[in-house]
């Protein structure tokens, strides 16, 4: 049986290498360019609006606020990928991989704006007073295919709700085992104790926790790295020089162990994609739950999440590693440290060995917040498939159990299977938002028109909805006054 699993894992690995190394990354870049041009660089020119929308976000009386939905997205984005993913990008692609992570993020901001705005446009009312929206919903109401939405939702629940939950838990358990000798099963029990009370309470409960936990953990982590930068300020210009020279192959010594400029580009792009999640259809599930005045407002806020994830958090991680010295990291050298352990060692080299325990706790919180975000995303898709009550309890039990089981099982095959499913989800979502791009263009134009008239907070009222390509098939945006 083990040999069969090994063979299956190898086949799935080959598929993933091609899927993620070329097809999905290429498609994500092209779609990012497409929406950047279509929206006239809206992810940049409207950035001040994103900050204002975030600042004036109000707690929704019955639903989930704009800031809470943003925090759920940050909770999922800012996780193990920011710690382990950046380290792997630098190991395999060299310092220049960080530059290509930036490029993918800047384009991904446009894609995130588009998919999040669509999630808002086609959202539906939920019985608890909040909303549900995301790829499955805009596939049903935008493309007119409930079957396609069902396929997406089912794949999502398996790949993200179950498999990614197990892998996240497994990763953090391995870190505690390697650095502190904590039995993996003990970490699993700890995660279950932390996760269960929150997720059993449903999507609103998750939103209440993540609205303070996600921003707090990101700030604490970036402060730690900022101290390292301050202590090594004279070396920082050299780090950025290495990043830019490595990005364009100007110095062969700065190549990663994979070798060559192409390896640098692909590793940076690949790790950037799976850190910020733009275009994969994941964060759009959080975007669709928010109560906002206009779809573009939440699209801009989620786009800001991509910026924070990659340009801020991933960059600070990369700089910390590049400042750590050749004993910890050297371009083109296959050191024993990998992923999160490499980042942990880099922080230790910059601040001292005492940081081992605080870093392990930060990694635990990163994984924990990601699990909460995963639960929220899964619940949105479960609600798409069934309107039965109390399914949030079932989802909470599954996520909690998966967090525990993931720490005691070997997950190579499960991880490879979820990678394939995630790749298919990304391709399906990207093709869908391209088809629905006229809707994106319509809402962005309407938003810009209202701002041009001096309206501080554009509203998606009846007049705005008349600018859409056709009559909106859901009533989530119809007010009581309009109904009367």
């Amino acid at each position: 049986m083990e040999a069969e699993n090994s063979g299956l894992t190898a086949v799935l690995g080959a598929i993933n290498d091609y899927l993620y190394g070329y097809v999905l990354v290429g498609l994500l870049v092209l779609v990012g360019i497409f929406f950047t041009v279509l929206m006239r660089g809206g992810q940049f020119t409207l950035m001040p609006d994103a900050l204002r929308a975030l600042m004036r976000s109000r707690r929704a009386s019955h639903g989930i606020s704009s800031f809470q939905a943003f925090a759920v997205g940050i909770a999922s984005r800012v996780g193990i990928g920011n710690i382990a993913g950046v380290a792997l990008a630098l190991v395999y692609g060299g310092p220049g991989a960080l530059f290509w992570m930036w490029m993918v993020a800047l384009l991904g901001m446009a894609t995130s704006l588009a998919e999040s705005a669509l999630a808002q446009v086609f959202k539906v009312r939920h019985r608890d007073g909040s909303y549900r929206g995301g790829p499955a919903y805009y596939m049903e109401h935008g493309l007119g295919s409930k079957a396609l939405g069902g396929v997406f939702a089912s794949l999502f629940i398996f790949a993200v709700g179950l498999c990614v939950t197990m892998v996240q838990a497994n990763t953090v358990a391995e870190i505690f085992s390697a650095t502190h000798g904590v039995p993996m099963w003990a970490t699993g029990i700890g995660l279950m104790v932390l996760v269960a009370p929150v997720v059993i309470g449903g999507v609103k409960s998750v939103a209440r926790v993540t609205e303070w936990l996600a921003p707090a953990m990101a700030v604490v982590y970036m402060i730690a790295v900022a101290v390292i930068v301050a202590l090594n300020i004279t070396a920082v210009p050299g780090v950025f020089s290495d990043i830019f020279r490595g990005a364009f192959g100007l110095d062969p010594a700065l190549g990663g162990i994979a070798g060559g400029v192409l390896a640098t580009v692909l590793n940076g792009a690949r790790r950037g994609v799976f850190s910020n999640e733009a275009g994969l259809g994941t964060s759009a599930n959080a975007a669709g739950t928010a109560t906002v005045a206009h779809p573009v407002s939440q699209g801009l806020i989620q786009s800001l999440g991509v910026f924070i994830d990659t340009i801020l958090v991933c960059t600070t991680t990369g700089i910390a590693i590049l400042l750590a010295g050749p004993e910890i990291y050297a371009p083109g050298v296959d050191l024993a440290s990998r992923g999160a352990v490499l980042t942990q060692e880099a922080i230790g080299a910059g601040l001292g060995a005492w940081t081992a325990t605080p870093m392990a706790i930060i990694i635990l919180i990163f994984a924990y917040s990601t699990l909460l975000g995963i639960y929220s995303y899964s619940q949105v898709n479960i609600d798409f498939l069934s309107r039965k009550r109390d399914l949030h309890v079932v989802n909470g039990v599954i996520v909690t159990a998966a967090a525990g089981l993931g720490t005691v099982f070997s997950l190579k095959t499960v991880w490879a299977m979820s990678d394939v499913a995630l790749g298919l989800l990304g391709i399906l979502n990207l093709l869908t938002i391209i088809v629905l791009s006229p809707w994106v263009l319509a809402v962005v134009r309407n938003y810009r028109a209202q701002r041009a008239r001096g309206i501080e907070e554009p509203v998606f009222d009846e007049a705005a909805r008349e600018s859409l390509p056709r009559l909106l098939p859901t009533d989530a945006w119809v007010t009581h006054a309009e109904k009367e």
Side-chain angles (χ1 to χ4, degrees), residues 67 71 74-75 198 206-220 364-366 368-370 372:
F67 180 80
I74 285 291
V198 180
V206 169
R208 285 193 295 270
V209 173
T210 55
E211 73 174 318
W212 61 266
L213 179 63
M217 69 168 184
V219 169
V220 169
L364 173 64
I365 295 173
F366 272 19
Y368 173 59
S369 68
T370 300
L372 296 184

Side-chain angles (χ1 to χ4, degrees), residues 147-399:
L148 190 60
V151 169
F152 184 95
S154 300
L155 271 174
F156 192 98
I157 293 166
F158 166 75
V160 180
L162 183 63
C163 296
V164 175
T165 297
M166 296 177 73
V167 173
Q168 286 279 332
N170 187 271
T171 301
V172 73
E174 284 185 342
I175 291 168
F176 270 86
S177 176
T179 60
H180 291 78
V182 179
M184 293 186 66
W185 61 264
T187 303
I189 291 175
L191 281 172
M192 292 174 71
V193 170
L194 289 171
V195 169
V198 180
V199 299
I200 297 299
V203 172
K204 287 185 177 180
S205 176
V206 169
R208 285 193 295 270
V209 173
T210 55
E211 73 174 318
W212 61 266
L213 179 63
M217 69 168 184
V219 169
V220 169
Y221 180 69
M222 286 192 291
I223 287 174
V225 179
V227 173
I228 294 176
V229 172
L231 293 174
N232 298 273
I233 194 67
T234 57
V236 172
V239 165
F240 279 95
S241 175
D242 287 349
I243 291 171
F244 288 108
R245 286 187 296 138
F248 299 99
L250 301 179
D251 187 343
L254 296 174
I257 64 175
V261 177
L262 181 60
T264 299
V265 175
L266 289 178
N267 276 284
R270 181 174 177 176
R271 298 299 169 183
V273 163
F274 289 99
S275 174
N276 62 56
E277 301 181 15
L280 297 183
T282 50
S283 59
N285 291 283
T289 64
T291 302
V292 292
H294 197 286
V296 173
S297 295
Q298 192 62 31
L300 289 169
I301 287 175
Q302 295 297 338
S303 178
L304 180 63
V306 174
F307 182 89
I308 291 172
D309 172 271
T310 305
I311 307 300
L312 296 184
V313 181
C314 286
T315 298
T316 54
T317 300
I319 290 174
I321 293 172
L322 295 174
L323 286 172
E327 299 83 6
I328 304 297
Y329 169 80
V333 178
D334 190 2
L335 298 173
S337 298
R338 282 292 178 270
V341 176
L342 174 57
T343 303
Q344 192 173 22
E345 290 182 354
I347 299 292
L351 297 178
W354 66 271
T355 59
T357 298
M359 271 302 298
I361 294 172
I362 288 174
I363 291 169
L364 173 64
I365 295 173
F366 272 19
Y368 173 59
S369 68
T370 300
L371 294 181
L372 296 184
I374 286 172
Y375 163 83
S376 182
Y377 293 172
S378 296
Q379 188 58 48
V380 168
N381 287 278
I382 287 173
D383 288 336
F384 176 85
L385 295 173
S386 175
R387 296 185 179 275
K388 291 182 179 179
R389 293 181 178 274
D390 300 326
L391 282 178
H392 70 279
V393 177
V394 177
N395 185 28
V397 170
I398 291 173
V399 170

Side-chain angles (χ1 to χ4, degrees), residues 457-479:
E457 187 174 8
V459 178
F460 199 52
D461 54 17
E462 187 175 6
R465 296 194 298 275
E466 288 177 354
S467 66
L468 296 173
R470 59 181 170 82
L471 183 66
L472 194 61
T474 63
D475 67 348
W477 288 99
V478 179
T479 64

